[in-house]
Amino acid sequence: MAPLPLSTASSHPPSTPAEPRPKKRKTAPPSTLHTSTLRPQHTYFHLRLTTPTPTSPSSSSSGPAHLDPLTIRTLLTPPLQSYLGLTGAGIPIDILKSEGKDVWVRVRGEDARALQAGVGAWVGGVEGGLVPGEGGEEGSGEKRVRVAWRVVRRGGRLGGGDGGELFG
Amino acid sequence: MLDIHRDDGPDTKVFFSHSLLPSYIDPQNVSTKKKPFSTFNAQPFSHTLDLILPEEIYEIVKGHVEGTAATAKGVYARVYMKLGEVLQGDFFNEYIKKGNIMMLSEGRPLVDNVFSLYDGTLRLELDRPTYERCGLQGKPIEDGGKKHQKNRWVIEYNLREPSMTHGKKGFSRLEWACKNVLDQSLTWLFYNFNSSAHESLRAGTEPISIHHPTIHAIEPTTTKLPRTLVPRLKASDPSSLYDAEDALALHEYIGMLCLDSPRVSANDSIDPHLSRYEVPTFNGLVELATRDMVRMRWRGFIPPHFVRELFLLVRTAGLKVEKGEIHEERWVAWSAAAFGGAREWTVMQWAGRETLSWECEG
């Protein structure tokens, strides 16, 4: 019985590569090299400091342009402390950015609930000179303003927003 | 342990992937299945698109993407109309049957009744009472077994099907529902994929013009991020970033750049008591460099098509790789947030073919 064509082919020295091989390999390399699903460790908050009186455009120039990180921390500690005592005051908060009265902070995922509940139930006071747009007139002395936090957005990633303002 | 420390935060999932771009991309016929193009397509309606790039690449590409000479131009319209009017007359024939448009109505997803139109498919997301009054057949939205969530339904119609014409039975039922149940006037965003729509929209000669739309251009705003700390990642590095911690740190870092946070600036000195954020060095394996970066931000009603054009434009203009030249550290990052705030993606593209992408849900 004559040997099968296949077996004769295999008896060839391996140094001569078969012609169709490289063609086949061209389609083979996958374009996706790795995929995985991740769970973020942090929760990000976009908070806004609210004041009872709507800021009039004339006074918007007074006070600092942005909330100072130290002021933010000072305004976030009392709500957490009144809610959870020392445990709450010890929650580490990373202040990422402040723009006007808007603040972006980061906390560990397990502290997110405490921060949300804490700031939601708190109203406090602060020197007007520290809040953008709330600085009193020149020479009128320091006036205290009542402030509260509003949670604009909370999520496992930075940025976002729902685009609702585009509907005008 | 206090009960308050339970981790029940928002259940955000990040789908991370490392991929290679095809070695040749035909601009007329771009793949829709391969990443990152599949990432772009998975999110039909974006409201913000960010591009982070080094200043030297910005100088090269700005002529292509900014101002009057911009090659990628987008115009969207805000219009006040009823759902029924979308399915009538010229609007229906010109835009849906012949042309290609996308639309989205106002409302919060999973709360209000939201209507959208993309690629000829009308999608109605309704609460229970409205769904029952409509008399149309839909599918319930998976609620993941949540106890106190109201049931909601989705009704989908492919309006390009031949059966979707006036006088056919199924279409008449949809018309009936539009006339009797879904008869509120709503604010819609409107985008026409036809490239000549740019001029005719402004001239007021389009079928939409009778509804008096407000027309907006999708134009970028540029923010300089001077003296930014940048991890010196090379194009050979992505495969060593598969660890969840590293991949999340890099994603967070791009988020910080998009936010224009002072914490990524080389000049920043903040007490660790106020912020412990640090630019990732991936266990000290990657050095930090100080570079001038630029953030370009487009806001508007942005379709995947627009993103893809820009992506290819920036890649061909700014990330060109000469033969034999090694530009391993050049990269740009893209990020887009979806309407409703439930989705977002980030794509990091190196000069060459390496791509990292993060798709976030929730």
Side-chain angles (χ1 to χ4, degrees):
Chain A
M1 194 180 162
L4 286 167
L6 202 72
S7 56
T8 53
S10 64
S11 68
H12 279 294
S15 59
T16 55
E19 205 48 53
R21 266 277 171 79
K23 217 178 193 177
K24 216 175 189 181
R25 200 179 282 166
K26 229 174 196 173
T27 58
S31 63
T32 306
L33 304 175
H34 171 83
T35 53
S36 56
T37 306
L38 316 170
R39 304 269 174 172
Q41 305 295 308
H42 290 104
T43 301
Y44 304 87
F45 281 84
H46 175 187
L47 301 168
R48 189 170 293 156
L49 194 68
T50 54
T51 43
T53 47
T55 314
S56 59
S58 61
S59 69
S60 62
S61 56
S62 56
H66 310 300
L67 278 171
D68 182 63
L70 201 59
T71 316
I72 298 168
R73 180 73 223 197
T74 330
L75 288 174
L76 282 173
T77 310
L80 288 170
Q81 193 160 19
S82 65
Y83 183 47
L84 290 170
L86 277 179
T87 326
I91 290 178
I93 298 173
D94 300 321
I95 296 153
L96 303 180
K97 183 183 162 79
S98 60
E99 191 177 286
K101 291 182 196 172
D102 287 28
V103 177
W104 285 264
V105 299
R106 176 182 84 164
V107 293
R108 285 175 314 191
E110 66 259 34
D111 294 331
R113 215 154 78 117
L115 182 63
Q116 172 137 31
V119 297
W122 178 81
V123 179
V126 68
E127 278 174 23
L130 294 172
V131 181
E134 289 294 330
E137 278 101 60
E138 302 278 330
S140 66
E142 289 299 340
K143 74 167 183 180
R144 286 187 77 76
V145 284
R146 283 165 67 78
V147 290
W149 288 106
R150 189 164 84 78
V151 178
V152 181
R153 222 189 92 79
R154 162 197 175 175
R157 60 194 153 78
L158 270 169
D162 64 357
E165 62 279 3
L166 288 176
F167 289 99
Chain B
M1 203 65 186
L2 285 171
D3 182 44
I4 199 76
H5 281 304
R6 223 164 16 144
D7 189 0
D8 67 342
D11 189 24
T12 305
K13 272 185 233 158
V14 182
F15 302 105
F16 170 66
S17 66
H18 173 208
S19 54
L20 293 178
L21 281 180
S23 47
Y24 172 71
I25 299 171
D26 177 5
Q28 301 303 320
N29 189 16
V30 182
S31 162
T32 54
K33 300 266 163 49
K34 288 194 172 120
K35 281 178 195 302
F37 307 108
S38 64
T39 312
F40 302 159
N41 290 338
Q43 187 174 300
F45 314 112
S46 307
H47 61 78
T48 306
L49 172 68
D50 285 328
L51 168 62
I52 303 288
L53 70 180
E55 192 152 22
E56 55 270 21
I57 300 183
Y58 169 71
E59 293 298 331
I60 302 170
V61 301
K62 71 173 175 188
H64 299 276
V65 294
E66 281 187 333
T68 46
T71 336
K73 265 186 191 153
V75 166
Y76 73 98
R78 200 175 69 223
V79 65
Y80 197 64
M81 59 194 288
K82 290 179 184 176
L83 177 61
E85 287 165 341
V86 174
L87 305 174
Q88 278 170 10
D90 274 353
F91 198 98
F92 184 62
N93 290 326
E94 293 296 323
Y95 286 143
I96 296 167
K97 287 292 190 191
K98 284 187 207 156
N100 190 12
I101 58 161
M102 68 172 198
M103 287 179 84
L104 178 70
S105 80
E106 65 186 321
R108 298 153 292 174
L110 301 175
V111 182
D112 300 319
N113 294 333
V114 180
F115 314 134
S116 66
L117 179 69
Y118 184 77
D119 210 14
T121 303
L122 178 71
R123 186 177 185 275
L124 314 174
E125 189 194 305
L126 305 170
D127 56 22
R128 190 187 188 119
T130 321
Y131 174 71
E132 287 179 348
R133 281 167 56 214
C134 276
L136 301 170
Q137 195 182 353
K139 274 187 249 162
I141 295 181
E142 283 176 43
D143 58 359
K146 281 190 188 124
K147 225 190 266 176
H148 302 290
Q149 196 168 302
K150 294 260 166 57
N151 286 354
R152 297 179 65 83
W153 273 265
V154 167
I155 304 169
E156 283 195 325
Y157 276 97
N158 183 357
L159 297 177
R160 296 232 176 96
E161 276 176 15
S163 63
M164 285 292 133
T165 41
H166 293 277
K168 297 271 181 170
K169 223 175 181 183
F171 195 74
S172 305
R173 285 163 72 111
L174 181 59
E175 281 181 315
W176 182 90
C178 291
K179 205 174 144 208
N180 296 296
V181 186
L182 310 168
D183 56 349
Q184 308 87 349
S185 279
L186 294 162
T187 311
W188 296 78
L189 296 180
F190 171 94
Y191 184 95
N192 194 344
F193 288 93
N194 187 344
S195 47
S196 68
H198 188 66
E199 284 82 28
S200 51
L201 255 179
R202 293 204 187 277
T205 54
E206 295 259 310
I208 196 179
S209 300
I210 53 164
H211 300 290
H212 307 291
T214 330
I215 294 153
H216 302 271
I218 311 175
E219 273 167 359
T221 49
T222 306
T223 314
K224 303 241 165 169
L225 315 172
R227 292 187 54 72
T228 300
L229 287 173
V230 181
R232 302 188 60 167
L233 287 168
K234 297 189 187 68
S236 53
D237 280 337
S239 42
S240 55
L241 300 173
Y242 291 171
D243 191 45
E245 210 172 289
D246 293 343
L248 284 169
L250 189 56
H251 182 227
E252 183 183 47
Y253 171 71
I254 296 170
M256 293 288 278
L257 290 174
C258 293
L259 186 65
D260 185 15
S261 166
R263 298 295 95 80
V264 291
S265 162
N267 301 341
D268 187 57
S269 59
I270 193 160
D271 193 273
H273 177 61
L274 298 172
S275 171
R276 294 161 309 159
Y277 179 81
E278 280 175 359
V279 176
T281 55
F282 310 101
N283 302 324
L285 296 173
V286 178
E287 288 173 37
L288 295 183
T290 306
R291 292 165 81 177
D292 293 332
M293 303 295 279
V294 173
R295 181 192 74 184
M296 299 186 78
R297 171 167 283 183
W298 288 261
R299 280 188 63 74
F301 191 43
I302 302 172
H305 158 82
F306 185 81
V307 180
R308 193 181 63 210
E309 302 274 292
L310 274 175
F311 177 84
L312 293 177
L313 197 68
V314 169
R315 181 164 182 267
T316 36
L319 295 175
K320 220 181 282 167
V321 183
E322 305 293 333
K323 274 220 171 95
E325 208 179 342
I326 301 165
H327 274 299
E328 288 213 303
E329 274 180 42
R330 288 188 309 171
W331 54 264
V332 300
W334 297 85
S335 180
F339 278 89
R343 283 185 61 99
E344 179 247 21
W345 57 253
T346 302
V347 165
M348 198 168 169
Q349 177 63 49
W350 268 268
R353 296 172 58 197
E354 309 280 329
T355 313
L356 287 182
S357 53
W358 294 261
E359 284 172 70
C360 306
E361 262 175 32

